[in-house]
Amino acid sequence: MSADETNCAVIAVIGAPNAGKSTLVNALVGAKVSIVTQKVQTTRARVRGILTEDKTQLVFIDTPGIFAPKRRLDRAMVAAAWEGIDGADITLLMIDAPSYLAGESERGQAGKGRADAERIIEGLKSSNRKAVLVLNKIDDIARPKLLALAQGLNEEGVFTDVFMISAKNGDGLGDLRSFLIEKAPTGPWLYPEDQLSDITDRLMAAEVTREKVFLRLHQELPYDSTVETESWKETKTGIRIDQTIYVARDSQKPIVLGKNGQTLKAIGQAAREELTGILGVPVHLFLHVKVREGWDEEAARLRSIGLDSVE
């Protein structure tokens, strides 16, 4: 490669819900580009995180978790995940190693996680796609059991390489990052050197608030809630942002509001503080809560959160 040549790789990160995809992308990029919560299926749309180092740019596509879809929202999310592979130079399949191993004998979320991972592997096989296997959350797994898992999955015939990491504490990320930089083909960069994500400020603001909603109410509030940024105005004292938190049923609205509005106030304060740090100016955030039954079946609502509608 000459001194003027650059390298660029588009890397699709796929996996079952809660495999750690967003945590990995944030860690590799070195900045928060995707929200992370303990709630499954937190990521809903494809988000691109961008790492530029020396002559190489890596564009990570953080995709929604792939699972058995039921609602229109679910189908749109799964379609977005599979579409994320199209045109990618490298595909990373992340597997939550503890959940996959537990899925051998357990039902519930662990068993579901294993079934979702196996469904993805079959999808890769049927489309003749190759991927890099990334076993995540390896901290508490004995080495022999981990190696046996890697060997068993490698025998599926769809993986070119295997990495064992902990996206949360950084174990193994250096090797994975070096590998991806080495594999990046020669080509022009897709984004400016100082850009970290392709997400708009309006959508990022909505995502930050949605994260705070889930972090605060992950046990009380079902998955079917969303946040939309309704208005965005620059003022002399910063930025005024008006957002609406949509819930699916009347019974959910008091949960978000809390007694005397205290829960909504706490959500707003946490979101405002983070957005002020991200945007670098004071943020004046105003939150409203509305009931909108069936929002997850509305094409307009899905487009507003970055998803193409599917039937």
Side-chain angles (χ1 to χ4, degrees):
M1 184 178 73
S2 71
D4 295 331
E5 283 183 331
T6 57
N7 297 330
C8 185
V10 176
I11 301 161
V13 185
I14 65 172
N18 257 15
K21 300 179 294 298
S22 296
T23 302
L24 174 66
V25 171
N26 288 344
L28 290 174
V29 171
K32 183 174 182 177
V33 296
S34 290
I35 65 172
V36 177
T37 77
Q38 63 271 66
K39 208 171 187 67
V40 297
Q41 300 158 24
T42 295
T43 301
R44 287 177 174 167
R46 294 188 300 273
V47 176
R48 289 171 176 82
I50 304 152
L51 168 66
T52 303
E53 183 174 296
D54 296 327
K55 295 289 186 178
T56 301
Q57 185 172 88
L58 304 179
V59 180
F60 296 95
I61 305 176
D62 182 15
T63 65
I66 298 174
F67 58 103
K70 296 179 181 178
R71 302 169 300 172
R72 189 173 191 170
L73 169 63
D74 298 340
R75 295 192 296 274
M77 287 166 56
V78 172
W82 282 114
E83 288 167 6
I85 302 177
D86 294 337
D89 299 293
I90 303 169
T91 298
L92 304 183
L93 171 55
M94 287 195 72
I95 288 182
D96 180 327
S99 291
Y100 191 91
L101 287 170
E104 293 177 329
S105 57
E106 294 184 16
R107 296 182 178 180
Q109 193 56 49
K112 187 175 182 299
R114 183 185 179 103
D116 289 336
E118 290 174 343
R119 186 179 299 107
I120 297 169
I121 292 172
E122 289 305 312
L124 291 170
K125 284 182 180 178
S126 64
S127 58
N128 293 317
R129 297 179 186 271
K130 296 291 184 180
V132 175
L133 174 62
V134 180
L135 294 175
N136 191 27
K137 306 179 186 178
I138 63 172
D139 313 62
D140 299 323
I141 302 178
R143 190 72 177 176
K145 184 175 289 189
L146 190 60
L147 292 174
L149 172 60
Q151 181 178 345
L153 288 169
N154 204 35
E155 290 173 357
E156 296 286 349
V158 298
F159 301 114
T160 60
D161 301 87
V162 180
F163 288 86
M164 304 176 189
I165 69 163
S166 172
K168 189 173 183 178
N169 66 28
D171 288 350
L173 293 191
D175 290 341
L176 176 58
R177 176 174 167 155
S178 297
F179 168 83
L180 295 173
I181 290 175
E182 180 184 340
K183 293 293 183 181
T186 300
W189 292 349
L190 300 178
Y191 296 94
E193 184 175 359
D194 58 352
Q195 188 169 340
L196 298 176
S197 173
D198 71 334
I199 192 171
T200 66
D201 287 343
R202 290 175 68 103
L203 184 53
M204 171 54 81
E207 286 289 271
V208 167
T209 302
R210 186 165 67 91
E211 178 187 63
K212 304 315 176 192
V213 170
F214 282 173
L215 289 175
R216 179 88 182 191
L217 299 169
H218 68 97
Q219 292 181 328
E220 296 92 339
L221 191 68
Y223 174 70
D224 48 1
S225 61
T226 194
V227 178
E228 289 187 22
T229 299
E230 306 290 354
S231 69
W232 180 291
K233 296 179 181 178
E234 295 186 10
T235 69
K236 293 180 179 180
T237 59
I239 298 175
R240 175 187 171 121
I241 302 174
D242 287 85
Q243 295 178 334
T244 299
I245 301 171
Y246 287 104
V247 294
R249 290 179 290 281
D250 287 327
S251 60
Q252 295 170 355
K253 187 173 180 178
I255 296 174
V256 179
L257 291 172
K259 187 177 181 180
N260 299 321
Q262 290 304 303
T263 299
L264 185 65
K265 182 178 179 181
I267 291 169
Q269 180 178 344
R272 181 169 55 252
E273 289 175 356
E274 181 159 337
L275 287 171
T276 295
I278 291 173
L279 298 172
V281 296
V283 170
H284 310 285
L285 180 63
F286 297 86
L287 299 180
H288 313 274
V289 185
K290 294 182 180 179
V291 178
R292 193 177 186 99
E293 295 183 11
W295 72 264
D296 52 1
E297 295 289 340
E298 295 180 20
R301 297 278 80 76
L302 299 186
R303 284 194 296 270
S304 73
I305 61 174
L307 285 171
D308 295 325
S309 178
V310 297
E311 296 303 324

